Amino acid sequence: MQHTKLSGETFYNMMVNGSNKLKEKSSFVNSLNVFPVPDGDTGTNMSMTLRAAVKEIENSKHLSIGEISRKFAKGALMGARGNSGVILSQILRGISKGLENKVEADSQEFANALREGCKSAYKAVMRPTEGTILTIIKTAAETAVNCCTDDITELMDSVYKQSKIMLDRTPEMLPPLKKAGVVDSGGMGLIIIFEGIMEVLRDNIEVLTTDKSIANTVSVINNYNTQDIKFGYCTEFIILGDSKKVTQFKNDLELHGDSIIVVGYDDVIKVHIHTNDPGIVLSKAIQLGELSKIKIDNMREEHRSLLSESVHEFAIEEKTAAVEDSYQELKRYAFIAVAMGEGIKNIFKDLGVDYVIEGGQTMNPSTQDILDCINRLNAEHIFVLPNNKNIIMSANQAADVSDKDIRVIPTKTIPQGITCITTFNPEADVEENVEELTSATDMVKTGSITYAVRDTEMDGVVIKEGNILGLIEGEIKEVGEDVFDVLEKVLDEMIDDESELITLFYGQDCKEEEVDVFFTNIEEKYSDIDVQCYKGEQPLYYFIISVE
């Protein structure tokens, strides 16, 4: 269908449909992760960023395109998760700038808005890398600006086609993509958004408003109380295992919940259950094979949230009442850290961190999550420890929109975060501490043990799905079949003559008795080095290793 002008309503439909499209395909985008480790989350981060933006424009369908784009960009900015989500939010921020104060937009104005989106994205990245989502938005902007047509549908068709061609070239720009045999995941996410936009323009799709679906849900939920929910956790996941065991597994689950759906085909088993103990269900499931796409929702919490018209997608560990927060005495310093695993979160709390946000690999907190913690602290100076390279941009974005003195220390790993908090000197001035904490990140080496989620070849090393992977500073250094064999080899490579301390954090999939045996052997092997071991309970990673 031809569009010579974009109204606010059409723009609304474009953005919502783009968000819906990305949500449908987020798992596919995640699978394009270059490294074959189980923490590819680009699709999830981009999708959740857009969903936060969509929530911001509920009930705004009939506003001007300038106003809707402004609200949409604000929602994306505050909901941005991970580097890909932050970059996407900056693209939308630039588009909003290009559409500012406009009731409608013609093809040239929309093309200029895409160019502003490109400029904003490049400015947000300290060292822009080509072959990424940045290259795709640059191609989109250049194509739009150079497209001589009054028809916005035709313009976006050209944008989509040229962007897709450029996406297919990204492996030639970035050797890691070529080695892994994938295109850039962030670029693919943007292409999928363009697909959703094109559907609306071409087929004149009117997307159902989110607020209607919420209203309908609330009307149903109002018919029962939270206490009426017998099993509180809606648990869904996929088992990559023998589907012949479906019947027995379903029978095993009957004692642990209701609304049970277990469907198997080939080597995949899809599971849905309402239960009061997701841990038991997952521990039974993992005996059948590798788990994927785990999703656990607290239905009682959702019920309460819907009734109060307040939905919070991310749980902050400390649930201190807002009234109590408002009476906090002003203190000089406060800390916020991001971590996953009960053991690791407790270590940060014991070291004096004020708030620990649950998050990390596959679960990046949003700008708003970090800002919520900042707003609850009454301190002259607030330090944020992201502890993950994919959270640093969100933390910086939260600092930018806060009126408090926020210092983001760019910690990329849990060991770096722990080293920083132990280095902190409450008697020193803030600039001194910033310098010391930033320097402290170089004092610690980080390793980790996880597993491969797909077959690949990297630097001449053949990796098979299910192999145990040993990483040092994010690079795969060891591949094997046994967790402890790989762990020992990684330790041997990390330790040198200057090493004084080894710290192991073991994950939720490790057996404590096996860890104890290994710990004893390591103490004997490195008798001149202090060795510590903690129950981290982190998912996905059997071990996180720190060597100082």
Side-chain angles (χ1 to χ4, degrees):
M1 181 176 177
Q2 189 178 46
H3 290 268
T4 56
K5 290 279 189 180
L6 277 185
S7 65
E9 184 171 351
T10 303
F11 184 81
Y12 171 94
N13 287 326
M14 287 162 53
M15 295 300 104
V16 175
N17 201 52
S19 175
N20 291 344
K21 206 78 176 173
L22 185 58
K23 183 181 178 183
E24 290 171 10
K25 298 185 177 181
S26 60
S27 295
F28 167 64
V29 176
N30 288 343
S31 72
L32 298 177
N33 186 30
V34 171
F35 285 127
V37 294
D39 55 15
D41 51 9
T42 299
T44 301
N45 285 335
M46 292 180 73
S47 178
M48 293 185 78
T49 299
L50 276 191
R51 286 159 64 190
V54 168
K55 184 168 179 57
E56 189 68 24
I57 59 173
E58 288 171 9
N59 302 315
S60 302
K61 194 170 187 176
H62 301 294
L63 296 178
S64 68
I65 192 170
E67 187 61 19
I68 289 182
S69 66
R70 184 190 66 80
K71 290 167 71 73
F72 194 76
K74 178 188 173 185
L77 182 77
M78 302 311 295
R81 298 177 190 270
N83 294 343
S84 57
V86 171
I87 293 171
L88 178 59
S89 75
Q90 290 299 321
I91 291 172
L92 295 170
R93 187 179 188 180
I95 290 173
S96 170
K97 180 181 176 182
L99 297 174
E100 192 174 9
N101 298 324
K102 298 189 187 305
V103 177
E104 294 183 318
D106 60 26
S107 62
Q108 184 177 352
E109 289 168 331
F110 188 64
N112 289 335
L114 286 174
R115 181 168 57 186
E116 289 296 328
C118 175
K119 288 179 183 177
S120 181
Y122 270 85
K123 284 179 183 176
V125 181
M126 188 174 295
R127 296 182 184 86
T129 301
E130 297 303 330
T132 65
I133 186 175
L134 294 174
T135 302
I136 304 308
I137 187 59
K138 181 168 70 174
T139 300
E142 290 175 351
T143 302
V145 169
N146 294 324
C147 191
C148 300
T149 178
D150 293 331
D151 183 5
I152 298 169
T153 306
E154 187 178 326
L155 180 145
M156 275 306 301
D157 184 57
S158 296
V159 164
Y160 172 73
K161 288 176 180 175
Q162 291 303 313
S163 298
K164 183 67 173 65
I165 290 170
M166 184 57 71
L167 178 69
D168 292 338
R169 292 176 183 166
T170 56
E172 301 302 322
M173 301 180 196
L174 286 175
L177 295 176
K178 190 170 185 177
K179 286 181 182 178
V182 295
V183 295
D184 179 67
S185 54
M188 177 59 80
L190 190 57
I191 292 291
I192 291 169
I193 295 169
F194 288 164
E195 284 181 14
I197 289 172
M198 276 304 301
E199 280 185 354
V200 169
L201 293 173
R202 185 184 59 238
D203 303 328
N204 202 30
I205 292 173
E206 183 175 354
V207 182
L208 290 175
T209 55
T210 310
D211 56 295
K212 286 182 181 177
S213 63
I214 290 176
N216 290 339
T217 305
V218 171
S219 67
V220 174
I221 288 178
N222 269 322
N223 291 328
Y224 61 89
N225 297 318
T226 303
Q227 292 82 357
D228 294 331
I229 302 175
K230 185 177 179 182
F231 295 101
Y233 297 95
C234 177
T235 304
E236 298 178 73
F237 54 91
I238 288 173
I239 307 172
L240 305 179
D242 187 359
S243 62
K244 294 177 183 177
K245 299 179 181 179
V246 163
T247 302
Q248 181 58 49
F249 182 62
K250 186 175 181 180
N251 292 337
D252 290 343
L253 293 185
E254 286 183 355
L255 296 174
H256 303 289
D258 62 10
S259 300
I260 300 171
I261 301 173
V262 182
V263 181
Y265 51 93
D266 294 334
D267 57 352
V268 174
I269 304 171
K270 172 70 176 177
V271 181
H272 172 281
I273 182 174
H274 291 175
T275 180
N276 282 329
D277 195 336
I280 290 179
V281 173
L282 294 176
S283 65
K284 288 180 176 294
I286 205 166
Q287 297 174 30
L288 301 186
E290 182 182 322
L291 304 187
S292 174
K293 300 180 184 176
I294 300 171
K295 181 173 177 286
I296 301 173
D297 292 321
N298 184 335
M299 295 187 293
R300 296 186 182 99
E301 184 177 61
E302 288 182 352
H303 176 257
R304 290 190 294 266
S305 296
L306 284 168
L307 291 179
S308 64
E309 297 182 352
S310 175
V311 179
H312 297 283
E313 291 182 341
F314 239 89
I316 297 173
E317 279 303 292
E318 291 79 2
K319 300 290 185 181
T320 309
V323 174
E324 292 178 5
D325 285 339
S326 66
Y327 289 102
Q328 283 183 358
E329 286 186 16
L330 177 68
K331 58 182 182 177
R332 190 178 183 193
Y333 292 116
F335 275 86
I336 297 168
V338 181
M340 284 189 76
E342 284 303 313
I344 291 175
K345 288 187 286 184
N346 288 334
I347 289 170
F348 276 109
K349 291 175 188 175
D350 292 343
L351 290 172
V353 170
D354 297 84
Y355 287 115
V356 181
I357 303 174
E358 185 176 6
Q361 298 299 94
T362 75
M363 194 176 175
N364 300 154
S366 69
T367 299
Q368 185 68 64
D369 293 321
I370 299 169
L371 191 62
D372 285 344
C373 279
I374 289 171
N375 290 338
R376 294 170 67 185
L377 286 168
N378 190 18
E380 292 178 29
H381 313 289
I382 300 172
F383 289 94
V384 180
L385 305 175
N387 301 330
N388 186 296
K389 65 180 182 180
N390 208 30
I391 299 174
I392 294 172
M393 288 184 75
S394 297
N396 284 328
Q397 196 152 269
D400 288 342
V401 298
S402 174
D403 57 1
K404 298 183 180 181
D405 182 36
I406 311 301
R407 308 302 179 105
V408 178
I409 308 300
T411 51
K412 297 178 181 178
T413 67
I414 292 297
Q416 285 184 354
I418 291 173
T419 299
C420 278
I421 195 71
T422 55
T423 304
F424 170 70
N425 180 3
E427 303 302 320
D429 66 41
V430 65
E431 299 301 339
E432 225 180 311
N433 267 312
V434 169
E435 185 177 344
E436 287 297 319
L437 268 60
T438 303
S439 299
T441 60
D442 297 327
M443 295 166 51
V444 57
K445 300 176 187 175
T446 301
S448 56
I449 309 299
T450 185
Y451 57 90
V453 294
R454 57 181 169 82
D455 295 351
T456 189
E457 183 176 334
M458 302 197 74
D459 298 325
V461 179
V462 176
I463 298 172
K464 295 293 184 182
E465 182 179 336
N467 278 163
I468 304 301
L469 305 178
L471 291 80
I472 301 176
E473 306 298 356
E475 293 186 14
I476 298 172
K477 296 293 185 179
E478 299 291 340
V479 180
E481 301 292 333
D482 180 80
V483 170
F484 293 99
D485 285 346
V486 172
L487 174 58
E488 187 164 6
K489 289 176 182 177
V490 167
L491 279 171
D492 288 343
E493 193 166 342
M494 291 178 70
I495 293 167
D496 56 31
D497 294 338
E498 296 181 359
S499 300
E500 298 176 351
L501 173 65
I502 302 169
T503 309
L504 303 177
F505 305 91
Y506 63 94
Q508 62 185 22
D509 295 325
C510 292
K511 295 180 180 178
E512 198 163 339
E513 57 273 18
E514 293 179 353
V515 173
D516 290 341
V517 171
F518 181 82
F519 176 68
T520 301
N521 292 337
I522 289 298
E523 277 191 311
E524 293 175 358
K525 182 174 181 178
Y526 298 106
S527 56
D528 57 337
I529 300 177
D530 187 15
V531 183
Q532 300 176 352
C533 188
Y534 298 98
K535 187 176 183 180
E537 298 180 77
Q538 70 273 6
L540 305 179
Y541 285 79
Y542 299 109
F543 285 91
I544 295 173
I545 309 150
S546 169
V547 175
E548 300 179 56

